[in-house]
């Protein structure tokens, strides 16, 4: 499979400077109308409530059992990166003392733009999912967390809330930090309670003022809104960046190949590698076999790769992919919470090992207060496995991509 060369394709990476090149801005732009969540959307235009209801109908009032069943029928997984079954989360929340429903639009992953695209184009679909969840669980409040720096997103969501009439339900927008770690679920809850936007120890369910918090990603709530209406269809919502002429968000049928997605974004003709799943994702060769894979969670899982939040990063041959790996590693080290030894010392030791030996996984994996150190070491090792030959010559002061 040959990817068509676009003359304006760029090698800049979102949020990460590399080899003297400045970081590119986050790829938040919707490139075209989607196939499900973003169907009939005009890039850059927000769907108003009347249009939304004309398209999807007025939202019903499903019970908790109804909503759990709908999520199971859709096989809905959390779209923030972890892929946890939404029905399981709803079932665990049902019958507990309810705090607010939190729509997590932090999107600290600089390679992801899908949540921003949803909030700016179809905010009512997202709010529908949150409202259905709040009413089913007995919550009386919804909080939409959006980075304070994204003022246009804040204003769009606030305007959408003002269009709605939800008796007995308070919906507010909460501006938050715009960092990589601030989007972690417990970091969001911590900041909502007035604490720092840093994770709490892993394994503790998030609570707000001793009440359970139903927190999910923006895309998850948008899909839940369709599940509540009886839909079971799927789509792949992807953010494409890196060596492409048109970085941004695309929604395609799940069978669409990675190669087709890259062509749609104007990918460079020759690629050094691919990263799937964002900066905590998997490093893959840009071979015909990989480009022919369907761009969905199941297809990537079948080859041992990470889908995560649907971020697909095309890496050029210049700058060298090793320089990119080093830059990504440095970025992830800098974006850590700095709260525990695995984050502060273990990842730094792994970075020093990168050019010369296999990073010692047991210094870091599953030892941190949050999942960031574990995920960082996993992506570092994924890149090291793919670039073993290049790393060897890079350690000698040269970088030759022969793949």
């Amino acid at each position: 499979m040959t990817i068509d060369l676009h003359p304006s394709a760029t090698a800049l990476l979102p949020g990460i400077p590399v080899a003297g090149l400045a970081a590119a801005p986050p790829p938040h732009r919707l490139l075209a109308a989607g196939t499900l969540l973003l169907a009939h959307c005009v890039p850059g235009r927000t769907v108003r409530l009347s249009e939304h209801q004309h398209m999807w109908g007025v939202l019903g009032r499903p019970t908790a059992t109804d909503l759990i069943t709908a999520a199971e029928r859709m096989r809905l997984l959390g779209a923030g990166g972890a892929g946890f079954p939404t029905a399981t989360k709803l079932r665990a929340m049902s019958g507990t003392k309810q705090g607010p429903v939190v729509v997590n639009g932090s999107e600290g992953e600089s390679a992801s733009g899908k949540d921003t695209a949803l909030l700016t184009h179809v905010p009512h679909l997202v709010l529908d999912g949150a409202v259905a969840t709040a009413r089913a669980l007995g919550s009386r409040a919804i909080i939409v967390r959006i980075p304070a720096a994204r003022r246009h997103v804040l204003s769009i969501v606030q305007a959408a809330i003002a269009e709605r009439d939800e008796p007995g339900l308070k919906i507010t927008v909460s501006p938050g930090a715009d960092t990589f770690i601030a989007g972690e679920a417990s970091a969001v809850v911590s900041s909502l309670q007035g604490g720092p936007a840093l994770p709490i120890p892993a394994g503790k369910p998030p609570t707000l003022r001793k009440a359970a918090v139903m927190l999910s990603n923006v895309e998850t709530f948008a899909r839940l809104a369709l599940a509540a209406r009886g839909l079971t269809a799927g789509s792949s919502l992807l953010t494409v960046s890196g060596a492409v002429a048109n970085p941004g968000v695309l929604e395609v049928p799940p069978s669409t190949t990675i190669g087709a997605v890259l062509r749609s974004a104007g990918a460079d003709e020759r690629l050094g590698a691919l990263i799937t799943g964002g900066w905590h994702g998997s490093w893959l060769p840009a071979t015909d076999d990989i480009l022919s894979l369907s761009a969905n969670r199941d297809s990537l899982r079948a080859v041992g790769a990470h889908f995560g939040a649907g971020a697909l990063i095309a890496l050029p041959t210049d700058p060298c992919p090793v320089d990119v790996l080093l830059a990504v590693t440095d970025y992830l080290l800098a974006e850590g919470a700095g709260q525990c030894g695995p984050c502060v010392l273990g990842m730094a030791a792994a970075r020093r090992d990168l050019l010369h030996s296999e990073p010692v996984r047991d210094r870091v994996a599953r030892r941190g207060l949050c999942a960031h150190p574990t995920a960082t070491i996993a992506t570092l090792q994924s890149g090291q496995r793919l670039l073993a030959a290049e790393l060897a010559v890079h350690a000698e002061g040269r970088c030759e991509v022969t793949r």
Side-chain angles (χ1 to χ4, degrees), residues 4 56 70 73 76 89 104 169 177 195 268 363 367 385:
D4 298 331
W56 297 112
R73 286 175 178 163
L76 180 57
K89 183 183 289 189
N104 187 5
L169 193 55
D268 200 338
R363 294 176 186 170
R367 291 178 177 268
R385 285 192 295 271

Side-chain angles (χ1 to χ4, degrees), residues 63-91:
T63 65
T65 300
D66 293 337
L67 204 58
I68 290 167
T69 300
E72 286 177 331
R73 286 175 178 163
M74 186 179 268
R75 297 177 58 210
L76 180 57
L77 303 178
F84 189 78
T86 302
T88 301
K89 183 183 289 189
L90 288 168
R91 190 175 287 111

